[in-house]
Amino acid sequence: MNYDKILEKGAEDTEMRYKYILFDLDGTLLNTNKLIIKSFKYTLKKHLDINIDDADILKYFGEPLMVTLERFSKEKAKEMFDTYIEYNERIHDEMVEVFGNVDNLLDEITRIGCKTAIVTSKRKALAKRGLTLFNLLDYFDDVIALEDTEKHKPNPEPILEALSRLNASKNEALMVGDSEFDIKCAHNAGVDSVFVSWSQAGDYQDKSIKPDYIIKDISEIIYILRTK
């Protein structure tokens, strides 16, 4: 993609390719990597007395918490879920960070008239809490979270729910995420996708995924929206 040519154009004289932008949250807009890893290690040590490597957690980034916990023990998954949630919420605010220039991107997306939604596998209350910490919640038209669908990424249902709420067509929508589950969800929903290269999970997940775009900086999303 020739970004230099796109930069020469303004929003006024560039036809928008995408009008509806769907964002994953953890690892895409908010840096919760250390928070998630620490919460898993605490939980698995407490209930199963195991010490787990980061890589064995990172490869499951993006899927619902209960699904991941059941990989380690179906019998103890529910009690581990409760422990994880309690510990994660206790340390959440001190460990979560926002990736650079997210607010500038969302400002620009709002200015050019795109609608946005969060599509995440985490619980809605905690998703909104993280966004509120960095004054980002008001930028989004909706938040599609764990409670909003019966099936979750990589099943297309979360994206299809977002499209329905935004009254959006598939060919005008774009999913932005940091894990194989985001990209596969977009593919299964028939929506174009962006993989963010600052993903820590990407090195440990399915490398055969084929996103439509790969970006190194979040500001590049604007160039993608304006390319047709």
Side-chain angles (χ1 to χ4, degrees), residues 131-198:
L131 291 166
T132 301
L133 272 176
F134 301 100
N135 300 312
L136 300 177
L137 181 60
D138 289 344
Y139 284 110
F140 295 95
D141 297 283
D142 215 325
V143 175
I144 313 303
L146 181 71
E147 305 93 322
D148 293 307
T149 60
E150 290 186 9
K151 297 179 180 178
H152 308 287
K153 303 172 187 174
N155 186 280
E157 190 173 336
I159 285 181
L160 296 178
E161 178 67 20
L163 296 180
S164 176
R165 294 188 186 188
L166 296 177
N167 195 27
S169 60
K170 293 181 180 181
N171 66 323
E172 293 182 316
L174 188 69
M175 175 69 196
V176 183
D178 73 309
S179 79
E180 67 176 80
F181 302 101
D182 300 314
I183 305 307
K184 290 178 178 178
C185 182
H187 176 77
N188 292 335
V191 168
D192 285 356
S193 62
V194 178
F195 182 79
V196 301
S197 63
W198 55 88

Side-chain angles (χ1 to χ4, degrees), residues 6-197:
I6 300 166
L7 283 169
E8 293 173 1
K9 296 184 177 183
E12 296 78 11
D13 59 4
T14 306
E15 189 175 359
M16 304 301 294
R17 179 170 185 175
Y18 303 102
K19 299 177 181 178
Y20 305 93
I21 320 304
L22 313 178
F23 289 95
D24 172 56
L25 185 58
D26 291 341
T28 301
L29 300 181
L30 298 184
N31 186 351
T32 54
N33 294 335
K34 292 179 181 179
L35 169 67
I36 294 171
I37 289 170
K38 189 171 183 178
S39 299
F40 268 113
K41 288 187 173 184
Y42 174 85
T43 301
L44 294 172
K45 179 64 177 177
K46 178 176 179 178
H47 290 278
L48 303 178
D49 194 27
I50 61 175
N51 297 305
I52 191 168
D53 293 334
D54 291 6
D56 291 323
I57 300 170
L58 286 163
K59 64 185 179 182
Y60 300 126
F61 266 30
E63 68 179 7
L65 174 60
M66 184 62 80
V67 173
T68 305
L69 292 173
E70 286 177 345
R71 293 180 183 275
F72 294 95
S73 173
K74 290 188 176 182
E75 291 182 356
K76 295 186 176 182
K78 179 57 172 68
E79 57 187 284
M80 288 196 294
F81 181 90
D82 293 339
T83 295
Y84 180 103
I85 293 301
E86 187 279 327
Y87 183 74
N88 183 276
E89 291 189 355
R90 178 156 35 102
I91 65 173
H92 178 275
D93 292 3
E94 68 191 62
M95 295 200 70
V96 66
E97 300 172 337
V98 64
F99 286 111
N101 298 320
V102 165
D103 54 346
N104 292 337
L105 170 72
L106 295 174
D107 270 332
E108 182 66 8
I109 287 177
T110 300
R111 188 182 73 81
I112 61 182
C114 293
K115 289 189 175 182
T116 59
I118 293 291
V119 179
T120 178
S121 295
K122 72 191 305 179
R123 294 175 304 124
K124 191 182 293 285
L126 203 57
K128 288 188 172 182
R129 177 170 159 184
L131 291 166
T132 301
L133 272 176
F134 301 100
N135 300 312
L136 300 177
L137 181 60
D138 289 344
Y139 284 110
F140 295 95
D141 297 283
D142 215 325
V143 175
I144 313 303
L146 181 71
E147 305 93 322
D148 293 307
T149 60
E150 290 186 9
K151 297 179 180 178
H152 308 287
K153 303 172 187 174
N155 186 280
E157 190 173 336
I159 285 181
L160 296 178
E161 178 67 20
L163 296 180
S164 176
R165 294 188 186 188
L166 296 177
N167 195 27
S169 60
K170 293 181 180 181
N171 66 323
E172 293 182 316
L174 188 69
M175 175 69 196
V176 183
D178 73 309
S179 79
E180 67 176 80
F181 302 101
D182 300 314
I183 305 307
K184 290 178 178 178
C185 182
H187 176 77
N188 292 335
V191 168
D192 285 356
S193 62
V194 178
F195 182 79
V196 301
S197 63

Side-chain angles (χ1 to χ4, degrees), residues 100-101 196-198 214-223:
N101 298 320
V196 301
S197 63
W198 55 88
I214 299 175
I215 60 174
K216 295 180 179 179
D217 186 278
I218 200 161
S219 64
E220 294 175 46
I221 291 174
I222 290 295
Y223 311 146

